[in-house]
Amino acid sequence: MSQNLAEPVAHDGCLLSDLAAALGVASDTADVRVTSVTSATDMAVPGSLFVALPGARTHGAAHAAAAAERGAVAALTDEAGAERTRAAGLPTVVHPAPREVLGRAAAFVYGTEPGDPRLIAVTGTNGKTTTTYLLHALFEALGVRDGLSGTVERRVGEHAVETRLSGRLTTPEADYLHGLVARMREERVEAASLEVSAQAITHHRVDGLLFDVAVFTNLTQDHLDDYGTLDNYFAAKLPLFTPERSRRGVTLIDDEWGRRLAAEAAVPMTTVSTDPGADADWHLATREVGLDRTEFDLTARDGRSLSSAVNQPGWFVALDTALSIVALTEIGYDLDRIDAALAGRGGLEARLPGRLDPVNPGGEGPRIYVDYGHTPASFRTVLTTLRGFTKGRLFMVFGADGDRDATKRPDMARSAALADVVVVTDYNPRFEDPAAIRATLVRTLEDEFPGLEHYEIPDSAEGIDKAVSLAEEGDIIFVGGHGHRQDVEVRGRLIPYSVKDAARAALAKHGWSTR
């Protein structure tokens, strides 16, 4: 069952004049009560404050009349948009930087307060989605009503939330996010986990929220089209670990970025390491890794410990589980309670959409796994893990997304070359020439790995079919990038496509069971 976030939450909102005063500006003389906030026209409902933001191609004020027709009663915009919002009949608050105060405005209207519910932010290049779902599974094991917001979905308790938002933001805009937290409060959610991207911090999407704990998973090459260097990328994430945004933090210190964060963060930091000799608050030891279960030990500096398992393959999932458990202890959940809850279930049972997701776990023929990770580091991690379970050959099917960090593409190809056979296909070319994207990947393979068996097949489904046609019993095929997605983006259009459906069709075509 899904809920519509546009439905009003149980609160009184505020007067427009009070909101303007809180933002330090004046409003039009006409005063009205606003009960919700939206910067998306199709999310406007009776009582909404429509926030008209300036954009790269158009100004949001161009849609003020449509927002008014849907029930918006006032607007917040800059001088450039004020004439159009007033022409639409909306009393207007004018601020020189409406995006920068969007979070403050939403917090004021919705009355979002720290600690209700308790909020966990998860940031990092890889593992954000995995960690939020592991937190969700932990809350479920503890019997805690929780919420979730991330790349795949948003949830309030047992309900999926209808978004009706355009785009694919890992972290939604601040107005939406505050509305979501207000909905969680109304539904008596005790705690919630939220994915927070670097762009969300830079673009003010988490403004006005104070997280009880912020988790840092890792930092590897990605988004350099936005930030230029890894130092800048790290600097974009660092403000999450300040008193204005979080009370405390949790970080892995196995690499330089985690160690830098532990040293430079302006909030108390709890550290985790897989190195038994490291000076860390918690140590993780992975005991046994299988295709459907990973066992681990987690030990605190003070001697507290937990031995458990998670129903997923890979040391990296054990690590994300450890970070999640430590985060729960940081916001007040007792380790013994967590241990008892997991022991009663035989370990953590987590659903991780698009994370090493098996297509045919019980069938014959080659095993096929799909994953949402689309960075060089995530490719290396998964391929290295799968190599340990491959009786025959290991296949890699992948592409690089267009209009995103082009500097990582050669390294993506280098990581893919850990497989025995590589198939290069298209993956979300957006407005770029897909042939040019593939050429970079293929050229890297041919120049640096001349003996590697590889194929260039533009269509992803045909690329998967090629891998299946070459594979035998005992082989493993890994399809990177698509994961849980149900579409691909080409020149502004979202075209329906499921990589799992394509894999099942290929298996059936070549006579293998799809169970």
Side-chain angles (χ1 to χ4, degrees):
M1 178 181 178
S2 66
Q3 293 183 331
N4 186 344
L5 188 63
E7 296 171 357
V9 294
H11 70 101
D12 295 330
C14 67
L15 291 175
L16 187 65
S17 56
D18 292 338
L19 172 62
L23 298 179
V25 294
S27 66
D28 291 348
T29 53
D31 208 355
V32 293
R33 180 167 293 277
V34 293
T35 55
S36 65
V37 182
T38 182
S39 57
T41 309
D42 64 354
M43 293 289 287
V45 295
S48 286
L49 171 73
F50 176 58
V51 185
L53 300 173
R57 296 183 178 87
T58 185
H59 199 292
H63 306 286
E69 289 176 5
R70 294 185 63 89
V73 295
L76 167 64
T77 191
D78 55 13
E79 286 287 358
E83 182 178 349
R84 280 178 285 186
T85 58
R86 288 171 177 143
L90 298 176
T92 298
V93 173
V94 179
H95 192 281
R99 180 176 292 280
E100 293 181 17
V101 298
L102 178 55
R104 286 170 53 197
F108 192 83
V109 173
Y110 287 115
T112 46
E113 295 288 342
D116 187 17
R118 284 176 279 187
L119 299 179
I120 301 175
V122 182
T123 195
T125 309
N126 303 307
K128 293 188 297 296
T129 300
T130 296
T131 303
T132 56
Y133 273 95
L134 289 166
L135 284 162
H136 173 64
L138 284 166
F139 284 129
E140 186 176 61
L142 291 167
V144 171
R145 185 173 175 81
D146 75 305
L148 179 150
S149 174
T151 305
V152 178
E153 64 176 340
R154 277 109 208 186
R155 300 194 66 83
V156 176
E158 65 273 21
H159 301 293
V161 175
E162 179 185 347
T163 64
R164 296 193 300 152
L165 291 176
S166 59
R168 295 186 164 274
L169 298 179
T170 294
T171 311
E173 293 287 0
D175 54 296
Y176 182 95
L177 199 54
H178 279 273
L180 182 65
V181 172
R183 171 69 68 194
M184 291 177 184
R185 180 187 61 210
E186 182 187 53
E187 297 291 334
R188 298 183 300 281
V189 163
E190 185 176 314
S193 53
L194 292 78
E195 291 187 50
V196 177
S197 64
Q199 293 92 335
I201 302 166
T202 304
H203 298 152
H204 305 284
R205 294 183 206 144
V206 292
D207 284 6
L209 291 176
L210 179 64
F211 293 96
D212 292 274
V213 64
V215 178
F216 181 84
T217 59
N218 53 61
L219 189 135
T220 63
Q221 184 177 347
D222 202 6
H223 303 301
L224 298 193
D225 50 332
D226 287 328
Y227 299 108
T229 67
L230 281 172
D231 280 321
N232 291 341
Y233 183 26
F234 174 80
K237 289 184 176 292
L238 191 58
L240 182 62
F241 299 87
T242 59
E244 295 76 23
R245 298 185 186 275
S246 62
R247 299 184 190 273
R248 59 187 62 83
V250 174
T251 183
L252 179 70
I253 57 169
D254 283 358
D255 64 18
E256 64 168 311
W257 301 110
R259 290 190 291 271
R260 277 188 59 180
L261 179 63
E264 297 179 26
V267 296
M269 295 296 297
T270 298
T271 55
V272 181
S273 179
T274 61
D275 178 359
D279 181 17
D281 298 306
W282 294 81
H283 287 91
L284 170 72
T286 302
R287 286 186 282 112
E288 185 174 340
V289 179
L291 272 175
D292 57 4
R293 182 177 174 86
T294 301
E295 298 180 0
F296 62 91
D297 298 320
L298 181 61
T299 305
R301 191 190 297 273
D302 61 10
R304 290 176 296 156
S305 65
L306 176 151
S307 295
S308 192
V310 59
N311 64 329
Q312 301 289 330
W315 62 266
F316 50 92
V317 178
L319 178 55
D320 290 339
T321 304
L323 291 170
S324 301
I325 292 171
V326 172
L328 290 193
T329 67
E330 288 295 306
I331 61 171
Y333 293 96
D334 187 75
L335 185 66
D336 288 340
R337 178 185 172 188
I338 299 170
D339 192 8
L342 297 185
R345 292 169 171 245
L348 184 63
E349 296 288 327
R351 178 181 69 92
L352 306 180
R355 190 54 165 166
L356 264 184
D357 200 354
V359 173
N360 58 334
E364 300 173 343
R367 291 291 174 271
I368 302 180
Y369 293 87
V370 303
D371 194 273
Y372 183 65
H374 44 273
T375 67
S378 64
F379 283 180
R380 286 192 297 270
T381 298
V382 173
L383 287 169
T384 301
T385 298
L386 291 178
R387 173 65 73 187
F389 302 106
T390 306
K391 298 177 181 179
R393 294 199 296 174
L394 180 59
F395 290 73
M396 174 71 174
V397 182
F398 84 108
D401 45 355
D403 297 327
R404 297 295 186 267
D405 183 5
T407 65
K408 70 178 180 179
R409 292 172 187 170
D411 204 25
M412 291 174 71
R414 295 182 189 107
S415 296
L418 292 170
D420 300 301
V421 182
V422 176
V423 182
V424 175
T425 70
D426 291 340
Y427 169 69
N428 288 329
R430 298 186 175 87
F431 289 93
E432 270 198 75
D433 176 10
I437 298 173
R438 294 194 311 273
T440 298
L441 302 174
V442 172
R443 184 165 56 250
T444 301
L445 294 175
E446 292 179 344
D447 289 348
E448 300 183 24
F449 307 92
L452 179 68
E453 183 178 351
H454 67 278
Y455 304 87
E456 179 183 357
I457 302 174
D459 183 84
S460 172
E462 293 178 7
I464 293 169
D465 182 81
K466 178 65 175 179
V468 172
S469 74
L470 297 171
E472 300 177 354
E473 186 86 35
D475 293 345
I476 289 181
I477 300 172
F478 172 52
V479 186
H482 293 278
H484 62 276
R485 290 192 58 162
Q486 297 294 309
D487 52 50
V488 293
E489 189 174 346
V490 181
R491 303 203 66 78
R493 294 177 55 231
L494 294 178
I495 301 171
Y497 173 65
S498 164
V499 69
K500 294 187 75 171
D501 287 348
R504 293 188 187 99
L507 287 166
K509 175 182 173 182
H510 294 283
W512 299 110
S513 167
T514 59
R515 288 182 295 143

